[in-house]
Every structure is written in C-alpha cells, then in structure tokens.
Amino acid sequence: MYLTSLAIISATLIGSISAQTVFYGNFVHSVNVTSLEHATNGVIAVDRSGKIIQVETNASASQAQQIARKYGVSLFPLGNQKFLMPGLIDTHIHAPQYVFTGSGMDLQLLDWLNTFTFPRESRFNNTNYARSAYSKVIDRVIRSGTTAASYYATIHLEASKALADIVASRGQRAFVGKVNMDRNSPDYLIETTAQSLKDTEAFIQYVQGKKNSRVAPIVTPRFVPSCTSELMRGLSALATKYNVPIQSHLDENLDEIAWVKQLHPDQPDYTSVYDSHGLLTNRTIMAHVVYPSDAERQLLKQRGAGISHCPNSNLSLRSGIAKIRQMLSEGQKLGLGTDVSGGYSPSILNNIRNGYFSAIARSFEHPDDKYLKLAEMFYLATLGGADVLGMKSSIGNFVVGKQFDALIIDPLSHGSPIDLFDHDDIKTTFEKFINNGDDRNIIEVFVDGRSIHRI
C-alpha cells in the first residue's frame, strides 16, 4: 500500500512557508537521461535564496525533524500521496500565439503563418491588448507547471517590454525575445533592418536594466526567410555585445527548407545559414529540427547549440517526426517545447505524451529508432530543458547547490483525473500523473524557493 512513515505526522500541506524550508516526503527527479530517482522519505532543505542546501533520500520522520531543527525552521511535510518534482521547462513558446491556441490545425506551417499567426501578432502593436493577452498566457503556463520558459514575443518593442514585465511580476524564470522580421513578411508586420536592430538593442538594455536574475533577454530572429543577411549579422553582433542567447527555428517543414535553399543557394544547408551569420553558438536554441542532415546534426553538436523538440506542434502542423532517438544517442542537447500555438497546448505534460507517440510512430518505419521511455521524456522536460537553456548547473533536478524550482503534485486533488489504489507506490503514482494528470494536480509552484502559484 502507498504509505510512508509520514503517516505518523499530522500535517497540513498548504500553510505559511518560511524563507528557509525543509520539505519531507516523496520526490521524483532525473538523475540523468535514462534514470529517475524516486524517494519515499526524502528531505530537501532550501535556504533563503532558494538554493537547495541538503538532500536526503531515505530519512525517518525523527531524522527529518532533526534536520528542520538544525536550520531553525518548522518541517514542511507533504503527506502520504503528494510528491515533489522539478518544475517543467518549456524551451520554445510563442506567447502572443496563445490567443489562437487550437486554431488552424488543418493547415501546414507556411499557410498557417499567413492565415493565423501574422494577423493575430499584428494586434500586439496595441500595448494594452498585449498586456491583457500576456497576463493570461503567463498565468496559464505557470498553472501548467512550467517554471522556466523561452518566450517569443512579437516585433513590437513596447509589447515585448510588457511581456518581460509580466513574467518578472509573476516570478517565473524566463528568456524573453523581441522577434525580428525585415523581409518576406506582410506589410502590417514587418520592420526595417535599422529599426529592428535599434529596437532589439533597446529591448535588451531594458530587460537587463531590470536586474532580475530570473528574466533575461534573448535575441530572436523569427527564422531565416524573415530575416535579411544584414539583420542576422547585426543580431549576432548584439548577442555578442550583450552576452545574450539566441533562439530561432530550424528544419521544421520541407517547404520551409526548400525556401531557405532558394534564398541562400551559396550555403549547403539551413543550419549553415545560421552558422555563416554568427547565430549558431553554444547559447543558441533551435526549435523543431525535424529534418536535419547528418552534416547539420554534426554542426549543431560542434557548436553546442540546443534543440527544442516540439512533438505536439510537429504533429499538429503535420511537419514531421523528429529523429529524437538518434539525436539523444548522438549526445545532442535536447529539451521540450510547446511551440504554442503551433502546438495546441501550453502544457509540457502534453508534449511528454505526444513525444511518446511520435517516437512510437517513427519506430514503425524505422525499427532502429526505438521508442522513448518515461525517464527519457521526463529528462527532456526538466534536466534536458535546463541544459538547452544553459541552466543545467542551476536548475532541472534536486541537487545541492541548485535552485529550488519545483512542483507539489497531489494526485488526489479536487477534480483530479487520477485514481489511486492500494497497489500504487511512488513509481506508479508518478507515472499516472505524467500520463493522466493535469493542472488540477499541480497544487503549488515554486521558483527560487518562492511559491508563485498555489491552489
């Protein structure tokens, strides 16, 4: 039966939490790409800066009380069925596209952009509209358990500032990027090269000027077709000048790849276009990467770029099924992205599930590409995502010295889609949450040890 020695403790889960906290109960996290650790009597002590200062995987109730007394705080017991897990990490999400999430799923990428994305994004020239929309998407994403994200905004400077402000006010950890588009874009959603670079520099200075350790700017050329060579080189220079990361799209759709080849016939492939313009570095995040050649994968690995796997979007827009098993075996930096609104759900849990089925579908025609296991998918959603964001040393799992970005999961919360039985232990309960749970089960969200959402 799923019971621990915590049964002897009379506990109330949600209460006032001191600046320094000692949690006691069940937790699950990734040890590496193939291994999960399930602790049933775990202790995680968090200091006032949100840093993890002690971790125990099998402590008695009295030992846990002693640890709490050592730090001079009350013990925070989780109870019998609840558990802690690291916060989920979304390495690729378009914040303005949340306003039409779930629309246009009968279209492929380029038609979808022209029919839905560009008209909807143009409305973000109204900063009041932007603030309203961004408040909704950030709140939704946090409720879905995402503690760190890499956001695309739009080309509009003031609206992009508003997104950074809202993320900071909510306490989430994030990269925020003002999008760049100076060619092959509709008249109502295009910049001049000079204005794009000027506004991008102003945005970087604005976000860095906030001096918020959790929110940082990221250089964001939309994709090669929408950016001239002059703009791409200028953005590379800004990324170097201000020491900020870069994000864009790569090898998502076959028509897109053919278009890039027409635009840059001097380059051998799509990846090389970014590389030749100085945009492929060890701080670059490339979304999708569904159709990379062997040479492109080698170049991505050589440069140390991260890849955001977006299985929901890849299926919804019928782009294709990425070679995730192959890229994992090659040691590529890989995380998960919702790609809202190409992906219809802002939940990384949804992308874990779509990631399963994408890999299974690919394995039917490519038997060497074995399906992905739970440990691997959870790694992509947490520690792998941290690696893609360049934060693997500070977030992604429960290790002493890292920041406490975490979720409290209650599989039996009000309205829960999960039922437990006497044979369920922490392993099966965790698996039930990953495969069946939703935001109703995520009863508290922590970033830097601070509660930013609770139900």
Side-chain angles (χ1 to χ4, degrees), residues 107-183:
L107 300 174
Q108 288 190 300
L109 175 65
L110 300 182
D111 289 338
W112 175 81
L113 288 171
N114 289 313
T115 304
F116 286 95
T117 303
F118 295 155
R120 298 295 184 271
E121 287 193 9
S122 70
R123 292 199 62 190
F124 284 75
N125 66 348
N126 181 322
T127 308
N128 289 331
Y129 175 84
R131 288 195 187 98
S132 175
Y134 285 149
S135 294
K136 290 176 182 176
V137 64
I138 300 305
D139 288 345
R140 176 67 64 182
V141 168
I142 290 172
R143 289 201 300 272
S144 298
T146 297
T147 53
S150 191
Y151 289 107
Y152 286 57
T154 62
I155 66 173
H156 310 101
L157 175 59
E158 295 306 316
S160 299
K161 289 179 181 179
L163 175 58
D165 291 343
I166 291 165
V167 171
S169 71
R170 300 301 197 269
Q172 193 182 37
R173 193 183 304 281
F175 290 140
V176 180
K178 190 209 84 67
V179 170
N180 304 101
M181 303 165 64
D182 72 337
R183 69 170 175 179

Side-chain angles (χ1 to χ4, degrees), residues 80 285 311 424:
N80 291 330
I285 304 168
D424 283 312

